[in-house]
Amino acid sequence: MAHYNVLFLCTGNSARSIMAEALLNYWGKGRFTAFSAGSHPKKEVHPLALDVLEKNQLRIDGLRSKSWDEFATPGAPPLHFVFTVCDRAAAEVCPLWPGQPMTAHWGIPDPAAVEGSDEDKRRAFNRAFRELDARIKIFTSLRLEALDQLSLKRRLDEIGRQPRAKDD
């Protein structure tokens, strides 16, 4: 069975991309190795992102906010897929990634930008988690080796257009 390296990008690498990394490492069951990074990393993972991951029994050890520069250097893991999960990172000029990965935009509203009560913020993180979870489950169910490049690109773009999760 083939093994794929996947990088999730966001600007701050503190919430959405971190949750996506943890989710794919869980659902990928050894078939995928997920990483995350940011163009302007916050240097720490958002506490509510860690809270949502822990409440869903996902591993948080080793998760850290890091620059996307780590993945554009010699010796970085060759990437097969790079997904942007925020609009700002999708609009930025990305480094050249080793391995010429396939890319797609899976935009998710930023839960860290939500203002309001603690409950409002918690709901935003849960919603982002559910949207990422749904997309990653679809992605991991694809028979990647059976798809030609054009079909695969079309499927990845379709995943990025999945309907938004509803509030609890």
Side-chain angles (χ1 to χ4, degrees), residues 2-7 31-33 35 77-83 97-104 139 144 149 152 156:
H3 182 270
Y4 303 96
N5 291 325
V6 180
L7 178 61
R31 187 171 158 223
F32 296 91
T33 299
F35 306 96
L79 300 171
H80 300 94
F81 300 94
V82 174
F83 300 125
W97 309 113
Q100 298 180 317
M102 185 158 291
T103 63
F139 175 62
L144 299 174
Q149 293 286 46
L152 179 56
L156 296 176

Side-chain angles (χ1 to χ4, degrees), residues 109-129:
D110 186 1
V114 169
E115 296 181 8
S117 69
D118 287 348
E119 188 52 38
D120 292 337
K121 294 174 184 177
R122 192 169 305 286
R123 262 198 310 277
F125 274 86
N126 283 324
R127 185 172 44 252
F129 177 87

Side-chain angles (χ1 to χ4, degrees), residues 50-137:
L50 295 174
D51 187 55
V52 168
L53 293 171
E54 283 187 308
K55 284 191 166 110
N56 285 279
Q57 286 86 44
L58 293 175
R59 295 181 63 146
I60 63 167
D61 55 309
L63 294 177
R64 63 184 178 87
S65 180
K66 57 207 155 297
S67 173
W68 65 10
D69 293 337
E70 287 187 29
F71 297 92
T73 61
L79 300 171
H80 300 94
F81 300 94
V82 174
F83 300 125
T84 52
V85 293
C86 74
D87 294 333
R88 282 186 52 199
E92 293 185 84
V93 177
C94 293
L96 293 175
W97 309 113
Q100 298 180 317
M102 185 158 291
T103 63
H105 178 58
W106 292 0
I108 302 280
D110 186 1
V114 169
E115 296 181 8
S117 69
D118 287 348
E119 188 52 38
D120 292 337
K121 294 174 184 177
R122 192 169 305 286
R123 262 198 310 277
F125 274 86
N126 283 324
R127 185 172 44 252
F129 177 87
R130 287 193 315 276
E131 287 182 28
L132 289 163
D133 188 49
R135 291 175 184 190
I136 288 168
K137 285 176 181 173

